[in-house]
mmCIF file of all heavy atoms in Angstrom:
data_model
loop_
_atom_site.group_PDB
_atom_site.id
_atom_site.type_symbol
_atom_site.label_atom_id
_atom_site.label_comp_id
_atom_site.label_asym_id
_atom_site.label_seq_id
_atom_site.Cartn_x
_atom_site.Cartn_y
_atom_site.Cartn_z
ATOM 1 N N SER A 16 8.661 53.066 -84.163
ATOM 2 C CA SER A 16 8.015 52.760 -82.885
ATOM 3 C C SER A 16 6.976 53.828 -82.597
ATOM 4 O O SER A 16 6.877 54.874 -83.243
ATOM 5 C CB SER A 16 9.042 52.736 -81.766
ATOM 6 O OG SER A 16 9.622 54.038 -81.580
ATOM 7 N N GLU A 17 6.144 53.537 -81.549
ATOM 8 C CA GLU A 17 5.226 54.541 -81.048
ATOM 9 C C GLU A 17 5.924 55.739 -80.494
ATOM 10 O O GLU A 17 5.377 56.871 -80.608
ATOM 11 C CB GLU A 17 4.341 53.892 -79.956
ATOM 12 C CG GLU A 17 3.305 52.896 -80.463
ATOM 13 C CD GLU A 17 2.153 53.562 -81.194
ATOM 14 O OE1 GLU A 17 1.969 54.756 -81.058
ATOM 15 O OE2 GLU A 17 1.420 52.831 -81.925
ATOM 16 N N GLU A 18 7.108 55.560 -79.978
ATOM 17 C CA GLU A 18 7.894 56.662 -79.454
ATOM 18 C C GLU A 18 8.318 57.593 -80.627
ATOM 19 O O GLU A 18 8.292 58.811 -80.477
ATOM 20 C CB GLU A 18 9.137 56.187 -78.710
ATOM 21 C CG GLU A 18 8.866 55.569 -77.375
ATOM 22 C CD GLU A 18 8.310 54.127 -77.480
ATOM 23 O OE1 GLU A 18 8.386 53.524 -78.560
ATOM 24 O OE2 GLU A 18 7.727 53.673 -76.496
ATOM 25 N N ASP A 19 8.643 56.991 -81.765
ATOM 26 C CA ASP A 19 8.977 57.769 -82.931
ATOM 27 C C ASP A 19 7.748 58.585 -83.385
ATOM 28 O O ASP A 19 7.904 59.771 -83.773
ATOM 29 C CB ASP A 19 9.442 56.858 -84.077
ATOM 30 C CG ASP A 19 10.744 56.148 -83.801
ATOM 31 O OD1 ASP A 19 11.595 56.730 -83.174
ATOM 32 O OD2 ASP A 19 10.908 54.989 -84.245
ATOM 33 N N LEU A 20 6.614 57.965 -83.354
ATOM 34 C CA LEU A 20 5.389 58.658 -83.731
ATOM 35 C C LEU A 20 5.116 59.823 -82.813
ATOM 36 O O LEU A 20 4.832 60.948 -83.267
ATOM 37 C CB LEU A 20 4.193 57.669 -83.666
ATOM 38 C CG LEU A 20 2.826 58.291 -83.959
ATOM 39 C CD1 LEU A 20 2.733 58.845 -85.357
ATOM 40 C CD2 LEU A 20 1.709 57.231 -83.705
ATOM 41 N N ALA A 21 5.278 59.624 -81.529
ATOM 42 C CA ALA A 21 5.048 60.700 -80.546
ATOM 43 C C ALA A 21 6.018 61.860 -80.792
ATOM 44 O O ALA A 21 5.659 63.048 -80.681
ATOM 45 C CB ALA A 21 5.188 60.187 -79.149
ATOM 46 N N ARG A 22 7.256 61.555 -81.144
ATOM 47 C CA ARG A 22 8.264 62.601 -81.357
ATOM 48 C C ARG A 22 7.903 63.419 -82.580
ATOM 49 O O ARG A 22 7.931 64.660 -82.565
ATOM 50 C CB ARG A 22 9.659 61.952 -81.574
ATOM 51 C CG ARG A 22 10.743 62.905 -81.973
ATOM 52 C CD ARG A 22 12.093 62.221 -82.131
ATOM 53 N NE ARG A 22 11.973 61.059 -82.990
ATOM 54 C CZ ARG A 22 11.890 61.112 -84.328
ATOM 55 N NH1 ARG A 22 11.969 62.254 -84.934
ATOM 56 N NH2 ARG A 22 11.847 59.967 -85.040
ATOM 57 N N VAL A 23 7.476 62.753 -83.658
ATOM 58 C CA VAL A 23 7.132 63.453 -84.916
ATOM 59 C C VAL A 23 5.886 64.345 -84.697
ATOM 60 O O VAL A 23 5.776 65.467 -85.169
ATOM 61 C CB VAL A 23 6.947 62.454 -86.049
ATOM 62 C CG1 VAL A 23 6.264 63.135 -87.246
ATOM 63 C CG2 VAL A 23 8.256 61.864 -86.430
ATOM 64 N N VAL A 24 4.922 63.771 -83.999
ATOM 65 C CA VAL A 24 3.671 64.527 -83.654
ATOM 66 C C VAL A 24 4.035 65.780 -82.881
ATOM 67 O O VAL A 24 3.474 66.855 -83.145
ATOM 68 C CB VAL A 24 2.657 63.626 -82.879
ATOM 69 C CG1 VAL A 24 1.537 64.458 -82.296
ATOM 70 C CG2 VAL A 24 2.098 62.543 -83.814
ATOM 71 N N GLY A 25 4.922 65.627 -81.938
ATOM 72 C CA GLY A 25 5.355 66.815 -81.142
ATOM 73 C C GLY A 25 6.084 67.804 -82.027
ATOM 74 O O GLY A 25 5.860 69.032 -81.852
ATOM 75 N N GLN A 26 6.963 67.374 -82.868
ATOM 76 C CA GLN A 26 7.731 68.289 -83.749
ATOM 77 C C GLN A 26 6.782 69.125 -84.630
ATOM 78 O O GLN A 26 7.070 70.286 -84.888
ATOM 79 C CB GLN A 26 8.642 67.466 -84.691
ATOM 80 C CG GLN A 26 9.974 67.098 -84.055
ATOM 81 C CD GLN A 26 10.822 66.303 -85.068
ATOM 82 O OE1 GLN A 26 10.412 65.307 -85.592
ATOM 83 N NE2 GLN A 26 11.997 66.904 -85.343
ATOM 84 N N THR A 27 5.720 68.505 -85.130
ATOM 85 C CA THR A 27 4.884 69.174 -86.118
ATOM 86 C C THR A 27 3.569 69.730 -85.468
ATOM 87 O O THR A 27 2.737 70.288 -86.178
ATOM 88 C CB THR A 27 4.512 68.199 -87.261
ATOM 89 O OG1 THR A 27 4.001 66.962 -86.685
ATOM 90 C CG2 THR A 27 5.744 67.903 -88.083
ATOM 91 N N ARG A 28 3.447 69.481 -84.180
ATOM 92 C CA ARG A 28 2.318 70.013 -83.411
ATOM 93 C C ARG A 28 0.922 69.600 -84.036
ATOM 94 O O ARG A 28 0.042 70.454 -84.207
ATOM 95 C CB ARG A 28 2.427 71.502 -83.204
ATOM 96 C CG ARG A 28 3.721 71.954 -82.515
ATOM 97 C CD ARG A 28 3.632 73.382 -81.996
ATOM 98 N NE ARG A 28 3.647 74.350 -83.054
ATOM 99 C CZ ARG A 28 4.734 74.846 -83.613
ATOM 100 N NH1 ARG A 28 5.924 74.454 -83.244
ATOM 101 N NH2 ARG A 28 4.663 75.780 -84.557
ATOM 102 N N ILE A 29 0.774 68.355 -84.266
ATOM 103 C CA ILE A 29 -0.466 67.870 -84.930
ATOM 104 C C ILE A 29 -1.316 66.994 -83.963
ATOM 105 O O ILE A 29 -2.239 66.383 -84.479
ATOM 106 C CB ILE A 29 -0.220 67.123 -86.247
ATOM 107 C CG1 ILE A 29 0.686 65.891 -86.041
ATOM 108 C CG2 ILE A 29 0.415 68.045 -87.272
ATOM 109 C CD1 ILE A 29 0.743 64.995 -87.223
ATOM 110 N N GLU A 30 -0.971 66.914 -82.701
ATOM 111 C CA GLU A 30 -1.703 66.021 -81.781
ATOM 112 C C GLU A 30 -3.206 66.302 -81.860
ATOM 113 O O GLU A 30 -4.014 65.353 -81.915
ATOM 114 C CB GLU A 30 -1.220 66.142 -80.356
ATOM 115 C CG GLU A 30 -1.859 65.138 -79.412
ATOM 116 C CD GLU A 30 -1.196 65.138 -78.067
ATOM 117 O OE1 GLU A 30 -0.285 65.945 -77.839
ATOM 118 O OE2 GLU A 30 -1.611 64.308 -77.245
ATOM 119 N N PRO A 31 -3.701 67.586 -81.904
ATOM 120 C CA PRO A 31 -5.136 67.828 -81.952
ATOM 121 C C PRO A 31 -5.798 67.332 -83.263
ATOM 122 O O PRO A 31 -7.019 67.272 -83.334
ATOM 123 C CB PRO A 31 -5.310 69.349 -81.853
ATOM 124 C CG PRO A 31 -3.966 69.788 -81.234
ATOM 125 C CD PRO A 31 -2.937 68.830 -81.770
ATOM 126 N N LEU A 32 -4.966 66.946 -84.230
ATOM 127 C CA LEU A 32 -5.514 66.603 -85.575
ATOM 128 C C LEU A 32 -5.595 65.079 -85.786
ATOM 129 O O LEU A 32 -6.128 64.642 -86.761
ATOM 130 C CB LEU A 32 -4.656 67.213 -86.682
ATOM 131 C CG LEU A 32 -4.379 68.702 -86.649
ATOM 132 C CD1 LEU A 32 -3.440 69.096 -87.786
ATOM 133 C CD2 LEU A 32 -5.655 69.511 -86.678
ATOM 134 N N LEU A 33 -5.044 64.286 -84.863
ATOM 135 C CA LEU A 33 -4.826 62.856 -85.112
ATOM 136 C C LEU A 33 -6.098 62.109 -85.473
ATOM 137 O O LEU A 33 -6.074 61.209 -86.313
ATOM 138 C CB LEU A 33 -4.173 62.178 -83.933
ATOM 139 C CG LEU A 33 -2.698 62.604 -83.698
ATOM 140 C CD1 LEU A 33 -2.155 61.951 -82.421
ATOM 141 C CD2 LEU A 33 -1.845 62.209 -84.900
ATOM 142 N N ALA A 34 -7.238 62.456 -84.886
ATOM 143 C CA ALA A 34 -8.469 61.738 -85.128
ATOM 144 C C ALA A 34 -9.274 62.347 -86.283
ATOM 145 O O ALA A 34 -10.296 61.814 -86.685
ATOM 146 C CB ALA A 34 -9.338 61.729 -83.868
ATOM 147 N N ARG A 35 -8.726 63.422 -86.927
ATOM 148 C CA ARG A 35 -9.487 64.071 -87.974
ATOM 149 C C ARG A 35 -9.347 63.367 -89.269
ATOM 150 O O ARG A 35 -8.325 62.829 -89.626
ATOM 151 C CB ARG A 35 -8.961 65.538 -88.109
ATOM 152 C CG ARG A 35 -9.215 66.446 -86.935
ATOM 153 C CD ARG A 35 -10.391 67.342 -87.180
ATOM 154 N NE ARG A 35 -10.208 68.190 -88.314
ATOM 155 C CZ ARG A 35 -9.612 69.353 -88.337
ATOM 156 N NH1 ARG A 35 -9.064 69.831 -87.217
ATOM 157 N NH2 ARG A 35 -9.555 70.086 -89.453
ATOM 158 N N SER A 36 -10.428 63.455 -90.099
ATOM 159 C CA SER A 36 -10.361 62.981 -91.487
ATOM 160 C C SER A 36 -9.467 64.023 -92.233
ATOM 161 O O SER A 36 -9.604 65.267 -92.010
ATOM 162 C CB SER A 36 -11.746 62.988 -92.085
ATOM 163 O OG SER A 36 -11.662 62.929 -93.540
ATOM 164 N N VAL A 37 -8.628 63.549 -93.162
ATOM 165 C CA VAL A 37 -7.821 64.508 -93.906
ATOM 166 C C VAL A 37 -8.663 65.391 -94.795
ATOM 167 O O VAL A 37 -8.186 66.485 -95.191
ATOM 168 C CB VAL A 37 -6.762 63.769 -94.727
ATOM 169 C CG1 VAL A 37 -5.759 63.009 -93.835
ATOM 170 C CG2 VAL A 37 -7.376 62.865 -95.760
ATOM 171 N N GLU A 38 -9.889 64.982 -95.094
ATOM 172 C CA GLU A 38 -10.817 65.795 -95.889
ATOM 173 C C GLU A 38 -11.199 67.098 -95.202
ATOM 174 O O GLU A 38 -11.627 68.032 -95.850
ATOM 175 C CB GLU A 38 -12.047 65.007 -96.290
ATOM 176 C CG GLU A 38 -11.800 63.707 -97.068
ATOM 177 C CD GLU A 38 -11.557 64.019 -98.562
ATOM 178 O OE1 GLU A 38 -11.552 65.193 -98.927
ATOM 179 O OE2 GLU A 38 -11.393 63.073 -99.309
ATOM 180 N N THR A 39 -11.061 67.103 -93.883
ATOM 181 C CA THR A 39 -11.503 68.265 -93.103
ATOM 182 C C THR A 39 -10.377 69.249 -92.766
ATOM 183 O O THR A 39 -10.626 70.281 -92.123
ATOM 184 C CB THR A 39 -12.204 67.813 -91.801
ATOM 185 O OG1 THR A 39 -11.196 67.265 -90.929
ATOM 186 C CG2 THR A 39 -13.282 66.797 -92.047
ATOM 187 N N LEU A 40 -9.187 68.931 -93.190
ATOM 188 C CA LEU A 40 -8.007 69.760 -92.811
ATOM 189 C C LEU A 40 -7.897 70.975 -93.703
ATOM 190 O O LEU A 40 -8.245 70.987 -94.904
ATOM 191 C CB LEU A 40 -6.716 68.930 -92.957
ATOM 192 C CG LEU A 40 -6.595 67.675 -92.124
ATOM 193 C CD1 LEU A 40 -5.287 66.960 -92.465
ATOM 194 C CD2 LEU A 40 -6.653 67.996 -90.641
ATOM 195 N N SER A 41 -7.496 72.096 -93.088
ATOM 196 C CA SER A 41 -7.195 73.293 -93.864
ATOM 197 C C SER A 41 -5.849 73.065 -94.582
ATOM 198 O O SER A 41 -5.172 72.085 -94.399
ATOM 199 C CB SER A 41 -7.026 74.506 -92.947
ATOM 200 O OG SER A 41 -5.863 74.361 -92.100
ATOM 201 N N GLY A 42 -5.521 73.993 -95.540
ATOM 202 C CA GLY A 42 -4.271 73.853 -96.245
ATOM 203 C C GLY A 42 -3.070 73.804 -95.331
ATOM 204 O O GLY A 42 -2.185 72.909 -95.534
ATOM 205 N N GLY A 43 -2.971 74.653 -94.325
ATOM 206 C CA GLY A 43 -1.861 74.613 -93.427
ATOM 207 C C GLY A 43 -1.792 73.359 -92.605
ATOM 208 O O GLY A 43 -0.721 72.788 -92.369
ATOM 209 N N GLU A 44 -2.969 72.889 -92.130
ATOM 210 C CA GLU A 44 -2.990 71.637 -91.347
ATOM 211 C C GLU A 44 -2.588 70.443 -92.217
ATOM 212 O O GLU A 44 -1.799 69.610 -91.753
ATOM 213 C CB GLU A 44 -4.420 71.455 -90.793
ATOM 214 C CG GLU A 44 -4.809 72.419 -89.730
ATOM 215 C CD GLU A 44 -6.315 72.332 -89.385
ATOM 216 O OE1 GLU A 44 -7.089 71.847 -90.218
ATOM 217 O OE2 GLU A 44 -6.691 72.799 -88.309
ATOM 218 N N ALA A 45 -3.059 70.436 -93.429
ATOM 219 C CA ALA A 45 -2.695 69.312 -94.315
ATOM 220 C C ALA A 45 -1.196 69.247 -94.564
ATOM 221 O O ALA A 45 -0.574 68.189 -94.631
ATOM 222 C CB ALA A 45 -3.468 69.402 -95.630
ATOM 223 N N GLN A 46 -0.588 70.433 -94.763
ATOM 224 C CA GLN A 46 0.864 70.427 -94.993
ATOM 225 C C GLN A 46 1.671 70.049 -93.759
ATOM 226 O O GLN A 46 2.722 69.393 -93.832
ATOM 227 C CB GLN A 46 1.292 71.807 -95.501
ATOM 228 C CG GLN A 46 0.903 72.088 -96.955
ATOM 229 C CD GLN A 46 1.597 71.128 -97.937
ATOM 230 O OE1 GLN A 46 1.402 69.906 -97.853
ATOM 231 N NE2 GLN A 46 2.313 71.642 -98.927
ATOM 232 N N ARG A 47 1.174 70.372 -92.569
ATOM 233 C CA ARG A 47 1.851 69.928 -91.376
ATOM 234 C C ARG A 47 1.717 68.407 -91.245
ATOM 235 O O ARG A 47 2.735 67.737 -90.866
ATOM 236 C CB ARG A 47 1.192 70.549 -90.146
ATOM 237 C CG ARG A 47 1.753 71.941 -89.801
ATOM 238 C CD ARG A 47 1.437 72.392 -88.419
ATOM 239 N NE ARG A 47 0.004 72.790 -88.332
ATOM 240 C CZ ARG A 47 -0.774 72.593 -87.221
ATOM 241 N NH1 ARG A 47 -0.276 72.085 -86.126
ATOM 242 N NH2 ARG A 47 -2.056 73.056 -87.220
ATOM 243 N N VAL A 48 0.587 67.816 -91.616
ATOM 244 C CA VAL A 48 0.455 66.349 -91.584
ATOM 245 C C VAL A 48 1.371 65.755 -92.644
ATOM 246 O O VAL A 48 2.019 64.719 -92.397
ATOM 247 C CB VAL A 48 -1.014 65.955 -91.832
ATOM 248 C CG1 VAL A 48 -1.125 64.420 -91.963
ATOM 249 C CG2 VAL A 48 -1.858 66.447 -90.680
ATOM 250 N N ALA A 49 1.437 66.362 -93.801
ATOM 251 C CA ALA A 49 2.342 65.886 -94.869
ATOM 252 C C ALA A 49 3.798 65.887 -94.428
ATOM 253 O O ALA A 49 4.569 64.977 -94.704
ATOM 254 C CB ALA A 49 2.136 66.668 -96.150
ATOM 255 N N LEU A 50 4.174 66.974 -93.739
ATOM 256 C CA LEU A 50 5.529 67.045 -93.189
ATOM 257 C C LEU A 50 5.781 65.944 -92.141
ATOM 258 O O LEU A 50 6.819 65.330 -92.137
ATOM 259 C CB LEU A 50 5.758 68.393 -92.564
ATOM 260 C CG LEU A 50 7.122 68.714 -91.943
ATOM 261 C CD1 LEU A 50 8.253 68.519 -92.945
ATOM 262 C CD2 LEU A 50 7.189 70.107 -91.328
ATOM 263 N N ALA A 51 4.755 65.747 -91.279
ATOM 264 C CA ALA A 51 4.898 64.716 -90.262
ATOM 265 C C ALA A 51 5.047 63.306 -90.912
ATOM 266 O O ALA A 51 5.840 62.486 -90.497
ATOM 267 C CB ALA A 51 3.674 64.686 -89.339
ATOM 268 N N ARG A 52 4.290 63.072 -91.979
ATOM 269 C CA ARG A 52 4.386 61.795 -92.643
ATOM 270 C C ARG A 52 5.769 61.591 -93.294
ATOM 271 O O ARG A 52 6.312 60.487 -93.314
ATOM 272 C CB ARG A 52 3.319 61.597 -93.683
ATOM 273 C CG ARG A 52 3.074 60.181 -94.061
ATOM 274 C CD ARG A 52 1.826 60.024 -94.987
ATOM 275 N NE ARG A 52 2.076 60.561 -96.287
ATOM 276 C CZ ARG A 52 1.300 60.319 -97.347
ATOM 277 N NH1 ARG A 52 0.166 59.611 -97.200
ATOM 278 N NH2 ARG A 52 1.580 60.825 -98.520
ATOM 279 N N ALA A 53 6.314 62.652 -93.845
ATOM 280 C CA ALA A 53 7.645 62.587 -94.450
ATOM 281 C C ALA A 53 8.705 62.271 -93.351
ATOM 282 O O ALA A 53 9.613 61.485 -93.558
ATOM 283 C CB ALA A 53 7.969 63.886 -95.166
#
């Protein structure tokens, strides 16, 4: 659900990154997104 998405975004603190292209992410940001996706 969208609630699940919000919980994961909060856990990994990636809300400021949601609209970003993954091509523009730093190594640390990309791994946080990868953790969120897992």
Side-chain angles (χ1 to χ4, degrees):
S16 65
E17 287 287 343
E18 288 75 17
D19 294 325
L20 176 63
R22 174 180 50 79
V23 168
V24 167
Q26 277 181 301
T27 52
R28 301 196 291 274
I29 60 168
E30 186 172 4
L32 308 177
L33 290 176
R35 293 260 302 274
S36 163
V37 297
E38 299 280 2
T39 69
L40 300 176
S41 69
E44 290 169 340
Q46 286 297 58
R47 274 194 287 149
V48 174
L50 179 59
R52 199 174 69 168

